[in-house]
Amino acid sequence: MSLRKKKSEIIKKEKRNLFIISALSVFEEKGFNNTRIKDITKRANTSVGNLYNYFKSKEEIFEVIISGIAELMISKFKELFVYFKDNKIPPIYAVKNLFRGYARIFKAKKETFLIFFEQMGGINTKYRAKRNKIIDNFTKEVEKIIIKLLEFGARPQNPKISARVWTSTVLGVFTWWIRSDFEPEEEELVNNLTAFLSRGTMTK
Amino acid sequence: MSLRKKKSEIIKKEKRNLFIISALSVFEEKGFNNTRIKDITKRANTSVGNLYNYFKSKEEIFEVIISGIAELMISKFKELFVYFKDNKIPPIYAVKNLFRGYARIFKAKKETFLIFFEQMGGINTKYRAKRNKIIDNFTKEVEKIIIKLLEFGARPQNPKISARVWTSTVLGVFTWWIRSDFEPEEEELVNNLTAFLSRGTMTK
Amino acid sequence: MSLRKKKSEIIKKEKRNLFIISALSVFEEKGFNNTRIKDITKRANTSVGNLYNYFKSKEEIFEVIISGIAELMISKFKELFVYFKDNKIPPIYAVKNLFRGYARIFKAKKETFLIFFEQMGGINTKYRAKRNKIIDNFTKEVEKIIIKLLEFGARPQNPKISARVWTSTVLGVFTWWIRSDFEPEEEELVNNLTAFLSRGTMTK
Amino acid sequence: MSLRKKKSEIIKKEKRNLFIISALSVFEEKGFNNTRIKDITKRANTSVGNLYNYFKSKEEIFEVIISGIAELMISKFKELFVYFKDNKIPPIYAVKNLFRGYARIFKAKKETFLIFFEQMGGINTKYRAKRNKIIDNFTKEVEKIIIKLLEFGARPQNPKISARVWTSTVLGVFTWWIRSDFEPEEEELVNNLTAFLSRGTMTK
DNA sequence: AATGAATGAGTGTTCATTCAT
DNA sequence: CATGAATGAACACTCATTCAT
């Protein structure tokens, strides 16, 4: 590819990103259904028609914004499973690391998570289903951990319910946290969550 | 008021109720934004125009459906405060009663809670704010309890965070429960939740 | 069906007809692609949205207008075939009757035929194909007659070509006739056409 | 003009031609209204903006394509008039020559004629009027011949109608011929047309 | 009260044309 | 000349609300 072409590719990608960022912020502010294409393009300092040079529809932008959130949510759990391989329970600092990871992710993707958790279910049935599926998949991962812990002697409990508690907590608490401008401090939040959920799950 | 008048009042109220029930079921199914007035009136076996004899707008029906949910959510907590008056910590069965109460409420108002928790934030900014306010108020009530418990020697913790965990759990878990057709059994759910949240909150 | 219902059915059908007539006249005047929905509804003295209570799209009105033209075009030929059954050639007055029939049809459906012959091919590929198919089917009917005549001793000729001459003539001449406000007189037109095409086809 | 300048002029004219050819083929395929500027430039292996260095609008390309068709259609008739000057009726081979000429013209300008006859009336009122004017002028030329033939003792007939039959036939039959990939053979087509129209027009 | 036709403002998307590079 | 991103007017269709019957 020529140098000129490579450059224009980059510019195009940047423009596309600008659209995504603009759309993200308007969606978060007004909600998908009450966002006008013009709102997005105005915020991106361009014209209505131009958006359609980068995306084929309003929904496509939304999809792009949401895509990746599923992987993002599951990603942090992988690290915990390492311990199980060595026949050990994840130590407390590993759990702390888990929640610290989520704090960072939610902070970095603030608007995306707000849209995902607060709005997505209300846009239409398709997105409601999608949202619930993502949450369910996340819960399944948690459940696997709970089941492992039970094998290691955790307090007897229905793993489905406990997993759902963890999921609800992570989503609910972190969404609240970003909504309230990252108050309380990250460290305090992480410590409290670790303590609460560990005690809820384990005997000791 | 004459007997005849009273009777017609009752009929009118019944008709109004029919509209509300119809709207509720369509809203839950299609979401507010994708519900057409005709969908509601068809389900109520009447005509589009007639709905406007009972409600002044589509939003008004929605408001009626949602109204009361705030009180409903706080209601169950009052009972716990009785113990604090006698300088006692609420015993485990009282907490269980609390959760059993919520199970019943969510079961009875299944559609309403699904709309409230999954959809309401996505309709428009006004309802997003309303939704978050209701959740915040609920959390404030929980926080009061946590603070009381701390006075009684509970494990040191940030009451705001713990309260948020309780809220997220109640909303998240019960919403999941009604979405999955009341599986697991109510008793098991209540027992597990009680155990999990008590241990998370208390030292013993 | 109740009397009231029957009445409203009739009114509805009349309204629908009004839309069709309005659309027909605007289409003929401006062409399908340059006709705005508002042009049609204005001519029907109603509002844009109301049109969609009767038709599901702009195309649907067009289809309704065009539908039936195929049958209409073939219809007149059936009468000629009667003679062949009795082993006779259609006499000259029968052919005259044929053309008189077309004169009447084109007169009655003036706008429809103008749209069909002058415009339909330019709307889009779908309608171009449809138009050509209708013309081809019409030609096939004519061809059957030519073949019959050949059996009866008509001048040797390629029936496909002769049929195409007949088709082109009927469509071209009658379209011109309605475009020029039915000048010349119907009788003269019919006589001349009969003479011309008979001589072109037959030996005698 | 310098040599260099002359050369670039030629290149420019070639590029312009390429655009015309590309446009012609897309117009024929998709129709004017459903052709996008991008379709044309893609087929010409160049960019959208570049087209506007050669033409000032989409309509202009269309005009260029259609221009000349009027002269082309009348051109062939001149030859017949030579005979009248010598007080002779055109012999049969002269008429054949006429039709052979049209066969060649339609073959050479296949797409243009298809657009002209099938589509042009449907693009907009302006082009419909133009199309009809060209057809009417063509008919006027034919009429002149018919009148001459009447002077020479042709079968009594309304020359306007006969002329319209000729026009319809030429346009209709040759358009069909190019649409069906030049089937039947040119010679057979020409012979049949000559026979048909001669007999229809003349006594003998 | 009940009906459903009528209203018309509102919105996503298209596309000929322009223009900076 | 060449490129293709940028522009924005235009349009089909939707749907909450009104209103005549």
Side-chain angles (χ1 to χ4, degrees):
Chain A
M1 197 185 294
S2 76
L3 201 70
R4 170 190 286 271
K5 222 172 184 176
K6 216 183 268 173
K7 208 173 168 186
S8 84
E9 285 286 282
I10 291 166
I11 291 171
K12 193 159 183 186
K13 196 160 272 178
E14 268 168 12
K15 187 81 195 189
R16 200 179 138 93
N17 254 322
L18 178 57
F19 275 121
I20 293 172
I21 291 165
S22 304
L24 183 57
S25 96
V26 189
F27 284 156
E28 203 276 303
E29 201 176 304
K30 307 195 169 190
F32 180 84
N33 280 310
N34 298 293
T35 292
R36 306 290 138 246
I37 295 296
K38 214 180 180 177
D39 296 334
I40 297 171
T41 54
K42 206 180 269 173
R43 204 161 290 196
N45 269 320
T46 186
S47 62
V48 168
N50 199 25
L51 183 142
Y52 290 87
N53 287 325
Y54 297 83
F55 304 90
K56 70 179 214 300
S57 68
K58 190 183 170 189
E59 272 214 36
E60 204 200 27
I61 312 187
F62 188 78
E63 304 259 358
V64 169
I65 286 172
I66 289 307
S67 82
I69 209 167
E71 295 72 35
L72 210 60
M73 279 184 61
I74 303 185
S75 65
K76 281 290 138 191
F77 275 102
K78 315 270 155 166
E79 300 168 18
L80 282 192
F81 281 97
V82 174
Y83 293 95
F84 296 129
K85 279 186 184 157
D86 300 345
N87 260 340
K88 290 189 298 182
I89 321 182
I92 208 70
Y93 73 79
V95 181
K96 253 188 212 174
N97 262 342
L98 178 76
F99 289 118
R100 199 174 286 121
Y102 280 112
R104 303 280 162 82
I105 289 173
F106 272 76
K107 199 171 198 168
K109 299 265 175 183
K110 183 180 158 157
E111 278 104 343
T112 311
F113 275 103
L114 281 174
I115 290 171
F116 171 72
F117 190 63
E118 294 190 334
Q119 290 189 42
M120 196 166 152
I123 294 173
N124 60 41
T125 30
K126 179 177 139 196
Y127 287 130
R128 178 144 43 113
K130 208 166 193 169
R131 180 199 113 118
N132 288 339
K133 200 173 172 183
I134 292 175
I135 294 179
D136 289 353
N137 281 337
F138 180 76
T139 310
K140 254 175 225 154
E141 289 305 308
V142 183
E143 201 185 333
K144 283 185 206 161
I145 292 179
I146 309 268
I147 289 170
K148 277 285 175 198
L149 293 175
L150 285 172
E151 290 171 12
F152 281 96
R155 178 177 64 76
Q157 59 202 287
N158 181 327
K160 276 197 189 328
I161 297 174
S162 296
R164 196 54 66 164
V165 174
W166 278 65
T167 300
S168 304
T169 299
V170 168
L171 284 171
V173 174
F174 282 118
T175 302
W176 158 69
W177 187 54
I178 57 185
R179 241 206 310 124
S180 47
D181 276 313
F182 312 107
E183 193 92 19
E185 290 288 325
E186 182 184 312
E187 203 53 26
E188 192 183 4
L189 180 69
V190 167
N191 283 336
N192 269 268
L193 272 184
T194 307
F196 198 112
L197 294 183
S198 299
R199 281 168 179 273
T201 315
M202 311 297 290
T203 17
K204 278 268 132 121
Chain B
M1 196 186 291
S2 77
L3 200 67
R4 170 192 289 273
K5 226 177 184 174
K6 219 183 264 172
K7 208 173 173 186
S8 85
E9 287 278 299
I10 290 167
I11 290 172
K12 189 165 181 179
K13 197 160 270 179
E14 267 170 11
K15 187 85 193 184
R16 201 177 137 94
N17 253 322
L18 178 58
F19 276 122
I20 293 173
I21 290 164
S22 305
L24 182 58
S25 96
V26 189
F27 284 156
E28 202 277 304
E29 200 175 306
K30 308 196 170 190
F32 180 84
N33 280 309
N34 297 294
T35 291
R36 309 290 146 246
I37 295 294
K38 213 181 179 177
D39 296 332
I40 298 170
T41 53
K42 206 179 274 176
R43 208 162 287 196
N45 270 321
T46 183
S47 65
V48 168
N50 198 24
L51 183 143
Y52 288 87
N53 288 325
Y54 296 84
F55 303 90
K56 72 178 215 295
S57 71
K58 192 182 169 189
E59 280 218 340
E60 204 197 30
I61 312 187
F62 187 79
E63 306 258 0
V64 170
I65 286 172
I66 290 308
S67 80
I69 208 169
E71 294 71 35
L72 208 59
M73 279 185 61
I74 305 184
S75 63
K76 282 289 139 190
F77 276 103
K78 313 272 156 163
E79 300 169 16
L80 281 193
F81 281 100
V82 174
Y83 293 94
F84 296 130
K85 279 187 183 154
D86 302 345
N87 258 342
K88 289 190 297 182
I89 321 181
I92 209 71
Y93 74 79
V95 180
K96 254 189 212 172
N97 262 340
L98 177 76
F99 289 119
R100 199 173 287 120
Y102 279 112
R104 304 279 162 81
I105 289 174
F106 273 75
K107 199 170 198 169
K109 298 265 176 180
K110 183 180 155 156
E111 280 104 343
T112 311
F113 274 103
L114 281 174
I115 290 171
F116 171 73
F117 190 63
E118 295 189 333
Q119 292 189 40
M120 197 167 153
I123 294 172
N124 60 41
T125 29
K126 181 175 136 196
Y127 288 130
R128 178 145 43 113
K130 206 165 194 167
R131 180 199 112 118
N132 287 340
K133 200 173 171 183
I134 293 175
I135 294 179
D136 289 353
N137 281 338
F138 180 76
T139 310
K140 251 176 228 155
E141 289 304 308
V142 183
E143 202 185 334
K144 282 187 205 158
I145 292 178
I146 309 270
I147 289 170
K148 278 284 177 199
L149 291 175
L150 285 172
E151 289 171 12
F152 281 95
R155 178 176 65 75
Q157 60 201 285
N158 180 327
K160 276 196 189 328
I161 298 174
S162 295
R164 195 55 64 164
V165 174
W166 279 65
T167 301
S168 304
T169 298
V170 168
L171 284 171
V173 174
F174 283 117
T175 302
W176 158 71
W177 188 56
I178 56 184
R179 234 198 323 117
S180 44
D181 276 313
F182 313 106
E183 191 96 13
E185 290 288 326
E186 183 184 310
E187 202 53 26
E188 192 182 3
L189 181 70
V190 166
N191 283 336
N192 269 266
L193 273 184
T194 307
F196 199 114
L197 293 182
S198 300
R199 281 169 179 272
T201 316
M202 312 298 289
T203 16
K204 277 271 137 114
Chain C
M1 195 186 296
S2 76
L3 202 68
R4 171 190 285 270
K5 222 174 185 175
K6 216 183 269 173
K7 205 172 172 188
S8 85
E9 285 285 283
I10 290 167
I11 290 172
K12 195 161 183 184
K13 196 160 272 180
E14 266 168 15
K15 189 80 193 189
R16 201 179 137 93
N17 254 322
L18 178 58
F19 275 121
I20 293 173
I21 290 165
S22 305
L24 182 59
S25 94
V26 189
F27 284 156
E28 204 276 304
E29 199 175 307
K30 306 195 171 191
F32 180 85
N33 281 309
N34 297 294
T35 292
R36 307 293 140 243
I37 295 296
K38 216 183 179 176
D39 296 333
I40 298 170
T41 53
K42 205 179 272 172
R43 205 160 291 194
N45 270 321
T46 184
S47 63
V48 168
N50 198 25
L51 183 142
Y52 290 88
N53 287 327
Y54 296 83
F55 304 89
K56 70 178 217 298
S57 70
K58 191 183 167 187
E59 274 213 35
E60 204 198 28
I61 311 187
F62 187 78
E63 305 258 358
V64 169
I65 286 173
I66 290 306
S67 81
I69 208 168
E71 294 73 35
L72 210 58
M73 277 184 62
I74 302 184
S75 62
K76 281 291 138 190
F77 274 101
K78 314 269 157 166
E79 300 169 17
L80 284 193
F81 281 98
V82 174
Y83 293 94
F84 296 129
K85 280 185 185 157
D86 302 346
N87 261 337
K88 289 188 297 180
I89 321 179
I92 208 71
Y93 75 79
V95 181
K96 253 189 211 171
N97 261 341
L98 177 76
F99 289 118
R100 198 172 286 121
Y102 280 111
R104 303 278 161 81
I105 289 173
F106 272 76
K107 199 170 197 169
K109 297 266 177 180
K110 183 179 158 159
E111 279 104 343
T112 311
F113 274 103
L114 282 174
I115 290 171
F116 171 73
F117 191 64
E118 296 189 333
Q119 293 188 41
M120 197 168 155
I123 294 173
N124 61 41
T125 30
K126 179 176 139 197
Y127 287 130
R128 178 145 43 113
K130 208 167 193 168
R131 181 201 112 118
N132 288 339
K133 200 172 170 184
I134 292 174
I135 294 180
D136 288 353
N137 282 337
F138 179 75
T139 310
K140 253 175 227 154
E141 289 304 308
V142 183
E143 203 186 331
K144 283 186 207 161
I145 290 180
I146 309 267
I147 289 170
K148 278 283 177 198
L149 292 175
L150 285 172
E151 290 171 12
F152 280 95
R155 182 176 60 77
Q157 59 200 288
N158 181 326
K160 277 198 190 327
I161 298 174
S162 295
R164 195 56 64 164
V165 174
W166 279 65
T167 301
S168 305
T169 298
V170 168
L171 284 172
V173 173
F174 283 118
T175 302
W176 157 70
W177 188 56
I178 58 187
R179 234 199 323 116
S180 45
D181 275 314
F182 313 104
E183 192 94 14
E185 289 288 326
E186 183 185 309
E187 202 53 26
E188 192 183 3
L189 181 69
V190 167
N191 282 336
N192 269 267
L193 273 184
T194 306
F196 199 113
L197 293 182
S198 299
R199 281 166 181 272
T201 315
M202 311 298 289
T203 16
K204 279 269 135 122
Chain D
M1 197 187 290
S2 78
L3 201 68
R4 170 191 289 272
K5 226 174 182 175
K6 219 182 265 171
K7 210 172 167 184
S8 83
E9 285 279 298
I10 290 166
I11 292 171
K12 188 165 182 182
K13 195 158 273 179
E14 269 168 12
K15 187 83 193 185
R16 202 178 135 94
N17 252 320
L18 179 57
F19 275 123
I20 293 172
I21 291 165
S22 306
L24 182 59
S25 94
V26 189
F27 283 157
E28 203 276 304
E29 201 176 306
K30 308 195 170 189
F32 180 86
N33 281 309
N34 295 294
T35 290
R36 308 291 146 245
I37 295 294
K38 213 180 181 178
D39 297 332
I40 298 171
T41 54
K42 205 180 271 173
R43 208 162 286 197
N45 271 319
T46 185
S47 64
V48 168
N50 198 23
L51 184 142
Y52 288 86
N53 288 324
Y54 297 84
F55 303 90
K56 69 177 219 295
S57 71
K58 191 184 171 188
E59 280 218 338
E60 203 197 28
I61 313 187
F62 188 79
E63 306 257 359
V64 169
I65 286 172
I66 289 307
S67 81
I69 208 169
E71 293 72 35
L72 209 59
M73 279 184 60
I74 304 186
S75 64
K76 281 291 139 188
F77 278 106
K78 313 275 153 157
E79 300 168 17
L80 281 193
F81 281 99
V82 173
Y83 293 94
F84 296 130
K85 280 186 183 155
D86 300 345
N87 257 339
K88 288 190 298 184
I89 320 180
I92 208 73
Y93 75 79
V95 181
K96 253 187 211 173
N97 261 341
L98 177 75
F99 289 118
R100 198 173 287 121
Y102 279 112
R104 303 279 161 81
I105 290 174
F106 272 77
K107 199 170 198 170
K109 298 265 176 182
K110 185 179 154 155
E111 279 103 344
T112 312
F113 274 102
L114 280 174
I115 290 171
F116 170 73
F117 191 63
E118 293 190 334
Q119 292 189 40
M120 195 167 154
I123 295 172
N124 60 41
T125 29
K126 182 175 133 196
Y127 288 131
R128 178 146 42 115
K130 208 167 193 167
R131 180 200 113 118
N132 287 340
K133 200 172 170 183
I134 291 175
I135 294 180
D136 288 353
N137 281 336
F138 180 77
T139 311
K140 255 176 224 154
E141 289 304 308
V142 184
E143 201 185 333
K144 282 186 208 161
I145 292 178
I146 309 266
I147 288 170
K148 277 285 176 197
L149 292 176
L150 286 172
E151 289 171 13
F152 280 94
R155 180 176 62 76
Q157 59 201 285
N158 181 326
K160 276 196 191 327
I161 297 173
S162 295
R164 195 54 65 166
V165 174
W166 279 64
T167 301
S168 305
T169 298
V170 168
L171 285 171
V173 174
F174 282 118
T175 301
W176 158 69
W177 189 55
I178 58 184
R179 235 199 322 120
S180 46
D181 276 312
F182 312 108
E183 192 94 13
E185 290 289 325
E186 184 185 309
E187 203 53 26
E188 192 185 0
L189 181 68
V190 167
N191 282 336
N192 269 266
L193 273 185
T194 307
F196 199 114
L197 293 184
S198 298
R199 280 169 181 274
T201 316
M202 311 299 288
T203 15
K204 276 270 134 115

